[in-house]
Amino acid sequence: MHSKPSNKEKALAFALGITAGIAILVLLAVLILQIPAVNERYGWRVDFAMTYLRALVDPVKPLPTVDITQVAAVESTPDPGLAEVVPAMRTNTPVPTASATATERPEASPTVTLTPAPTFTPTPLPDRVELDPPAYEEQEVNNCGPATLAMHLRYYGWQGDQGTIASLIKPLREDRNVNVEELVSYVNTETPYYEIQYRVGGDIEMLKRLLAAGFPVTVETGFIMEESYWLNDDRWAGHYLLLTGYDEPSQSFIVQDVFVGPNLRVPYDELDKYWKAFNRVYILLYPPESRPVVQSILGDQWDMDANRQHAVEVSQAETEADPEDAFAWFNLGTNLIYFEKYSQAAIAYDHARNAGLPQRMLRYQFGPFFAYFHTGRIDDLLELTEYALKRTPNSEEAKLWRGWAMYRKANKEEALKLFNEALEARPGYTDAQYAINFVLSN
């Protein structure tokens, strides 16, 4: 004779049944999401839900600050080849020994020797310029970079779309960031009949002169999202815009925004406010025969060293005008990195962190990783990459630099794991493949 199950046993059986049911539903959901059409339509919603749930378990905090008075300069002697991790950032030469203390104020880089450029004599600009906008293209999820570049290329008659570009530079749609160097690389390798340049430290007058000469300009800016993705979300994110004109009487640009819509009007001061967060970077695209015109408009800043020197001076002046300007300090650090002044850059980034940076800042810009790695501040690098990966778990850049930090901690196994994860997050990521090869051969 069997005894009746107790209430406790019934409750346990019920709980096990519920757990099994949930597990089956989750498994079914995962399998269904493997269907391309379903994933295309609903995958981002699942990602949104997972992001929100992670923040419930581990609430989002501000980007970590640093006690500048306690930071001592650390001499750094990089292992051979480590400086070549990202050649695009000019880290492929010997790294100087850090010598400044973190309580000092960064100094501007020495004046550079300029490459002569054609003389440009400014002429009065028209009150209004409105270039014929390219056919508008609304961005897909996490795809503002490829979509904006597609429109920029289309202005000159290119026939592709954002999918054409994204298939090569971000084959995984979950990739949340395409940086300027990736856009430039695409044009240089896939569309040799166009030339592309980018410069930093831009201003409103330069944008207007380029537009008046018939050249649309792409800029990267910050913006504030309409909805939160986690509790305490500051809603700040990065975004690309294509400028196709300006109107002097209303003090506004004509903007093609792949997220909001075509032919928008954005006031000069509003654009500059959000543009500052990305070092006022601007991307120029043109047919080769137009190079002399572009070169003459840029003048001395056609020379990339001179352009960075100018950007150092702009950002330093802004930190002096407002010592609590986090973006000015961040830009100063990034511009100093270009000249391999890593110790000085680290100081600038310390000030930027303490002034208060957005939660997603390290999704888009990685200068602090360079600075702390090359000055031997590996604990800072670990702290910031951990924070970055909590905000963007699939960030290949954060995984890469966390891997280098682990390598510096003599944990090759963890370093290789992170490098492989970076390569998985961005197939074809040459920096991650280089890192894997380096560790395996040393």
Side-chain angles (χ1 to χ4, degrees), residues 56-70:
L56 287 177
V57 175
D58 185 9
V60 175
K61 301 178 179 65
L63 195 144
T65 57
V66 58
D67 185 348
I68 294 177
T69 62
Q70 298 300 313

Side-chain angles (χ1 to χ4, degrees), residues 10 41 56 65 76 82 89 148 153 155 192-193 225 237 254 256 269 280 286 313 337 351 377 397 414 417 430 432:
K10 289 180 180 179
R41 187 178 182 88
L56 287 177
T65 57
S76 175
L82 287 189
M89 292 293 288
T148 304
L153 283 164
Y155 177 81
Y193 32 89
M225 298 181 292
I254 301 169
Q256 312 302 317
D269 57 353
R280 296 188 178 92
Y286 51 88
E313 293 165 2
I337 280 179
H351 285 290
R377 291 174 56 180
E397 295 89 357
E414 182 64 17
K417 175 176 175 290
T430 55

Side-chain angles (χ1 to χ4, degrees), residues 18 29 41 71 115 158 161 181 188 202 280 317 328 348 352 363 373 392:
I18 291 294
R41 187 178 182 88
V71 177
T115 300
W158 186 71
D161 60 19
E181 291 82 3
N188 284 334
R280 296 188 178 92
R363 173 181 294 180
F373 175 82
T392 314

Side-chain angles (χ1 to χ4, degrees), residues 117-125 205 209 213 292-293 295-300:
T119 301
F120 174 68
T121 303
T123 56
L125 296 176
E205 188 69 13
R209 290 198 176 280
V293 179
Q295 192 172 359
S296 69
I297 294 171
L298 292 183
D300 289 344

Side-chain angles (χ1 to χ4, degrees), residues 308-371:
R308 284 287 177 169
Q309 175 65 32
H310 166 75
V312 167
E313 293 165 2
V314 169
S315 52
Q316 184 143 24
E318 289 183 333
T319 66
E320 292 168 356
D322 181 4
E324 297 303 314
D325 187 336
F327 293 135
W329 281 113
F330 196 97
N331 293 340
L332 179 58
T334 300
N335 294 321
L336 290 168
I337 280 179
Y338 179 88
F339 293 107
E340 298 172 0
K341 295 174 72 68
Y342 299 111
S343 183
Q344 297 289 343
I347 301 168
Y349 289 128
D350 290 342
H351 285 290
R353 290 167 60 182
N354 288 351
L357 292 166
Q359 296 166 350
R360 294 174 178 82
M361 190 70 173
L362 300 177
R363 173 181 294 180
Y364 306 103
Q365 302 189 67
F366 319 108
F369 302 161
F370 284 87

